[in-house]
């Protein structure tokens, strides 16, 4: 079990209750060796436009077309902590745990 940090919790609080339930259950089940952070929940207009225009783009769509743009957000971004964007095996491992928990809860992610 891992404990979500204050910033991760505040980001998660902007998400749909089903996503909140999924992330909290994932945190309860995941091995401590695979700690993770909530990188993004809701994005306002300025954040979404910046994500879309960044190089490389952090989002494939501009405002208001992202699932992150609603309140509550219908999207949440997670990353293994500490974050190393190039450590694809850790991202894949996190995704596998995440999918297993989502399947158990009957939540589509």
């Amino acid at each position: 079990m891992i404990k979500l940090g204050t910033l991760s919790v505040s980001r998660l609080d902007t998400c749909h209750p089903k996503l909140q339930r999924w992330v909290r259950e994932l945190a309860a089940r995941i091995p401590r060796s695979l700690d993770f952070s909530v990188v993004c929940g809701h994005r306002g207009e300025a954040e979404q436009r910046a994500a879309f225009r960044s190089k490389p783009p952090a989002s494939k769509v501009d405002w208001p077309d992202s699932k992150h743009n609603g309140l509550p957000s219908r999207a949440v971004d997670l990353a293994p902590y500490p974050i190393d964007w190039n450590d694809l095996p850790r991202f894949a491992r996190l995704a596998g745990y995440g999918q297993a928990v989502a399947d158990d809860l009957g939540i589509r992610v």
Side-chain angles (χ1 to χ4, degrees):
M1 175 178 196
I2 66 162
K3 182 177 181 342
L4 295 173
T6 304
L7 187 55
S8 285
V9 170
S10 69
R11 291 171 175 158
L12 184 59
D13 285 347
T14 68
C15 296
H16 189 280
K18 283 186 179 181
L19 290 176
Q20 291 184 36
R21 180 174 170 231
W22 169 63
V23 171
R24 288 191 170 98
E25 187 64 24
L26 178 60
R29 293 190 196 183
I30 205 157
R32 295 179 85 185
S33 61
L34 191 57
D35 195 357
F36 68 89
S37 292
V38 177
V39 177
C40 185
H42 172 75
R43 280 191 204 124
E45 183 174 358
E47 289 174 299
Q48 183 63 38
R49 291 196 187 279
F52 179 67
R53 290 181 173 84
S54 65
K55 301 292 181 203
S59 179
K60 295 178 183 178
V61 295
D62 203 356
W63 171 269
D65 299 322
S66 171
K67 291 181 180 181
H68 285 282
N69 301 150
L71 266 178
S73 175
R74 292 178 296 127
V76 62
D77 296 342
L78 308 177
Y81 183 84
I83 298 173
D84 176 354
W85 297 110
N86 297 310
D87 191 350
L88 299 183
R90 284 191 79 217
F91 275 90
R93 196 165 162 228
L94 176 60
Y97 274 99
Q99 189 61 62
V101 171
D103 290 348
D104 287 350
L105 297 176
I107 296 173
R108 195 176 126 244
V109 293

